Amino acid sequence: MKRLAALVLCTVALGAACAEKSSAPAATVNGSKIPTSDLVDELNAISANTDYLNGLQSNASAGGATVTGATPGSYDAGFVSQVLLQDIYYSLVHDEFAKRKLGVTDACRLRARNEAMLQIGNGDATKGEALLAKFPTSYQDVLVRRNTELLALETDLAGAQCGNEADTYYANHPDDFTKMCISLIAVPDQATADSVVAQLRAGADFATLVQQVSVDEATKATNGDAGCVLAGRFNASLVQVLQRANVGDVLDPIPGQTGVSILKLTGRQVASLDEVQAQADELASTAASQAFSQWLSQARSAAQVTIDPRYGTFDATTFQITPPTAAVDQGSSSPLSSASDSP
């Protein structure tokens, strides 16, 4: 499932603000209420951002989610149900965030804000920053808070700290950043390879055999030294062999497309974080996403959710809301107005 941070920017309202709001909940999640007032505030905040609204309308025209209802000043019922579903997800995240008593660093808040700008701008941070600034300050705070809680929970589930994920992952997973130092002899056929391996294991000098039989000119110039390479750059089966090997071991011959290679493990080195920063970022992000997906699956299964029937029908099995057939109007009969005694 996509991270919830991608959902927060998919809401919109049209027309005039709903000044009067019901205090009854639009939904209840494990006993926590999502008041209609919060939903209306969110919709009103976004409806006031004309540039963002126009972007959503363009996406709808290109095949995205429908925003407007069939009559002027109304919302598409399916769209509103998705807004509410989004809020249900964030309620689950908020409650778990609070349950774990997670702290939030300035670095985490900054990352959350930066990600919000990227999401609003569809990958363009400059555009996203301009659009974010056009939301009311209170709604900007909501977006950043939601994203911050999500990131903090996601990284905590993976045993890391939001804003310091790569450093933590690097410290906790040294095997992912260990370089394998090897020497190489390349020969043209299996029979020669078997003979070389037998000699090496019997105590023959590696450099001497390199000069006698190796057909790889690059490593021949270094007496077979092929340098130290991150384990991830080898194929998976070879990585497993290298990880099991002791320093000084000569591996079994490895057939290739143009010949056979004989490798000797000469050492192991843990790369510095500077060398592997991009890899650490990627692995930390992947670990956090996987941990969050597992938690979310369990949270959804255990969640007790009710919604006002005028917003649709909640299906606990699929964790989806089937919207009502009518659009959500802004008039007095709207579930978003004070005349309603539910959402």
Side-chain angles (χ1 to χ4, degrees), residues 16-330:
C18 298
E20 300 179 67
K21 309 150 192 165
S22 168
S23 61
T28 301
V29 186
N30 294 332
S32 298
K33 296 179 180 179
I34 300 175
T36 298
S37 58
D38 288 359
L39 180 59
V40 172
D41 285 344
E42 182 173 26
L43 294 170
N44 286 341
I46 300 175
S47 67
N49 191 334
T50 305
D51 290 341
Y52 183 65
L53 177 60
N54 289 339
L56 283 180
Q57 295 287 62
S58 297
N59 289 340
S61 299
T66 301
V67 175
T68 60
T71 59
S74 67
Y75 312 100
D76 178 78
F79 179 80
V80 174
S81 71
Q82 288 304 303
V83 175
L84 182 56
L85 182 63
Q86 160 198 279
D87 292 342
I88 290 170
Y89 274 116
Y90 275 108
S91 179
L92 290 173
V93 170
H94 175 75
D95 287 351
E96 186 68 16
F97 172 88
K99 176 183 176 182
R100 290 170 177 257
K101 299 180 180 180
L102 298 179
V104 176
T105 64
D106 289 341
C108 186
R109 291 189 184 91
L110 178 60
R111 181 186 163 195
R113 186 176 183 84
N114 289 339
E115 286 200 3
M117 291 188 295
L118 283 171
Q119 291 151 11
I120 294 173
N122 288 323
D124 184 334
T126 301
K127 178 182 176 182
E129 184 176 17
L131 287 172
L132 182 63
K134 293 181 180 180
F135 290 122
T137 302
S138 59
Y139 188 59
Q140 293 181 44
D141 292 342
V142 168
L143 294 178
V144 175
R145 176 186 61 77
R146 285 177 169 179
N147 219 18
T148 302
E149 291 181 353
L150 172 63
L151 292 173
L153 174 59
E154 188 180 65
T155 51
D156 184 70
L157 288 164
Q161 182 183 41
C162 179
N164 196 34
E165 300 90 339
D167 294 39
T168 308
Y169 189 92
Y170 172 83
N172 292 339
H173 300 83
D175 287 349
D176 289 341
F177 308 103
T178 297
K179 293 180 176 181
M180 302 294 184
C181 303
I182 59 175
S183 289
L184 167 73
I185 296 175
V187 295
D189 56 68
Q190 187 68 42
T192 304
D194 291 339
S195 173
V196 170
V197 168
Q199 293 178 66
L200 290 171
R201 289 175 176 172
D205 181 65
F206 197 96
T208 299
L209 284 174
V210 169
Q211 299 303 323
Q212 291 176 352
V213 300
S214 184
V215 296
D216 184 80
E217 295 301 325
T219 53
K220 195 170 186 177
T222 60
N223 285 329
D225 185 2
C228 300
V229 182
L230 284 171
R233 296 185 182 178
F234 297 104
N235 65 55
S237 59
L238 180 55
V239 169
Q240 293 177 1
V241 173
L242 288 168
Q243 288 178 336
R244 290 195 298 265
N246 295 315
V247 173
D249 283 355
V250 175
L251 307 186
D252 292 338
I254 303 169
Q257 293 182 342
T258 59
V260 184
S261 297
I262 300 102
L263 301 182
K264 179 180 180 179
L265 180 63
T266 60
R268 292 187 175 94
Q269 298 177 1
V270 177
S272 69
L273 181 58
D274 287 342
E275 292 179 87
V276 295
Q277 184 69 56
Q279 181 182 356
D281 287 336
E282 182 178 354
L283 289 173
S285 178
T286 298
S289 294
Q290 290 174 344
F292 179 77
S293 293
Q294 292 174 359
W295 170 82
L296 185 60
S297 177
Q298 295 172 352
R300 284 172 31 151
S301 297
Q304 298 296 315
V305 179
T306 59
I307 68 170
D308 186 277
R310 282 171 291 181
Y311 283 115
T313 303
F314 180 75
D315 186 339
T317 303
T318 61
F319 216 84
Q320 293 292 323
I321 298 174
T322 301
T325 56
V328 180
D329 200 301
Q330 289 178 315

